[in-house]
Amino acid sequence: MSDITPSPQVEVELEQIEEGFGASGTLVGIIMGSKNDMEKMLPAQVYLTEQGIDSEVHVMSAHRDPEKVREFCTTARARGLKVIIAGAGMSAALPGVAAAHTDLPVIGVPILGKSLGGLDALLSAVQMPPGIPVACVAIDGAKNAGVLAARIINA
Ligand code: RP5
């Protein structure tokens, strides 16, 4: 038995794991704001799988499911995740909110919506305040998010 006492923050995270998301054993968490984003986000997982990197996919919206997003992101490191890929359209808050709740690298994927040519999502994802970074790929650029996640893991 270890005589190292977990920090209060780690204890909180472990409690949250027991109540919510389990220990995944995966390295990359892929989250998106709607099931309607799934088709555009899957190229990230396809690339990671080709590279032998396990990932998990969840739908959670920063606006519709804020508590789920908070729980996923605050427990991500303790569950073994190394990178989070977050895709959303319209007012794409998900990447930035994810980055606010974890110090893991967050890669944002702006999803093309029905108006504004995707600029709404691009600007929402990329215009982060200093200290809370999101590494943003192109509009509908999920494959590059997978490539970047793999490079981060293999750095
Ligand atoms: C965003 O709003 C989602 O990421 C999605 O791209 C967009 C529209 O969501 P749905 O109405 O299709 O569920 O939060």
Side-chain angles (χ1 to χ4, degrees):
M1 189 169 141
S2 168
D3 57 359
I4 299 172
T5 306
S7 71
Q9 185 185 354
V10 169
E11 283 188 288
V12 168
E13 288 179 349
L14 292 176
E15 276 172 26
Q16 288 171 335
I17 290 168
E18 282 160 19
E19 290 169 8
F21 295 100
S24 65
T26 57
L27 295 179
V28 181
I30 301 173
I31 58 177
M32 62 204 77
S34 168
K35 63 178 172 27
N36 296 324
D37 300 329
M38 189 70 77
E39 191 176 339
K40 290 190 171 173
M41 289 300 291
L42 280 181
Q45 187 174 47
V46 168
Y47 180 83
L48 289 166
T49 301
E50 287 169 358
Q51 303 306 308
I53 297 171
D54 286 339
S55 58
E56 59 182 46
V57 175
H58 302 282
V59 174
M60 59 185 77
S61 163
H63 299 111
R64 294 166 174 158
D65 320 297
E67 183 55 29
K68 185 175 177 182
V69 174
R70 187 199 64 77
E71 184 188 345
F72 178 82
C73 295
T74 57
T75 61
R77 177 182 287 281
R79 287 182 293 108
L81 294 183
K82 300 294 184 197
V83 182
I84 293 175
I85 296 173
M90 301 181 72
S91 174
L94 187 61
V97 170
H101 285 303
T102 182
D103 59 0
L104 294 175
V106 174
I107 303 171
V109 183
I111 302 285
L112 176 64
K114 293 187 178 125
S115 57
L116 300 175
L119 263 185
D120 45 358
L122 174 64
L123 296 178
S124 298
V126 85
Q127 284 293 86
M128 289 298 294
I132 315 291
V134 168
C136 188
V137 297
I139 297 167
D140 289 348
K143 179 174 180 179
N144 258 1
V147 175
L148 182 55
R151 288 187 179 191
I152 291 169
I153 286 166
N154 293 324

